[in-house]
Amino acid sequence: MKVKIDTLKLTTAQPAKLIKDLFEKIDMNKITSFFYDPNELLYHKGPQYINHIYFKISIDHKKGLVLFDLYSDGNTFAESKAFFLLQRMLKAHFADVSEIL
């Protein structure tokens, strides 16, 4: 069973559009290290991560934030790399329209 560990917060003018664009970039193979499922869960494809961690994506509409809640099964290696991998991908693809808090 995976439990929530922490949250990465990202500010952007259009949170729903950023999520839509993220999924489109994954679908178009512009982002190849992550995949998602219909429940807006984001997974890293690396074999050392895929069965251990995922991010649940949601929006804080009042603050205009995209929230990436990290869930883990307790694998400390996967947890230690999770935010670095997510931040690197977000900066590479969305730095012009967002800021990681």
Side-chain angles (χ1 to χ4, degrees):
M1 180 175 163
K2 293 185 177 51
V3 296
K4 182 177 170 183
I5 303 298
D6 203 354
T7 302
L8 182 136
K9 298 174 183 176
L10 183 98
T11 183
T12 183
Q14 298 177 319
K17 182 176 181 332
L18 186 133
I19 294 170
K20 180 180 176 272
D21 291 347
L22 169 65
F23 292 160
E24 284 180 1
K25 286 183 182 226
I26 292 171
D27 290 342
M28 294 172 24
N29 288 320
K30 291 183 178 180
I31 296 174
T32 58
S33 57
F34 284 86
F35 72 96
Y36 67 95
D37 72 12
N39 297 315
E40 296 192 345
L41 301 179
L42 186 66
Y43 300 86
H44 192 280
K45 288 183 178 179
Q48 65 274 42
Y49 309 109
I50 196 166
N51 293 321
H52 301 292
I53 60 168
Y54 65 82
F55 295 94
K56 178 148 180 63
I57 304 169
S58 61
I59 298 173
D60 180 333
H61 292 283
K62 290 182 182 180
K63 296 181 180 177
L65 299 175
V66 179
L67 306 173
F68 294 87
D69 294 328
L70 172 62
Y71 285 80
S72 173
D73 65 359
N75 182 294
T76 55
F77 174 79
E79 288 174 14
S80 73
K81 304 293 184 193
F83 283 119
F84 169 76
L85 296 168
L86 180 63
Q87 288 174 348
R88 188 171 75 179
M89 180 272 292
L90 291 170
K91 286 179 184 177
H93 294 277
F94 301 101
D96 60 331
V97 296
S98 68
E99 180 181 349
I100 296 170
L101 301 178

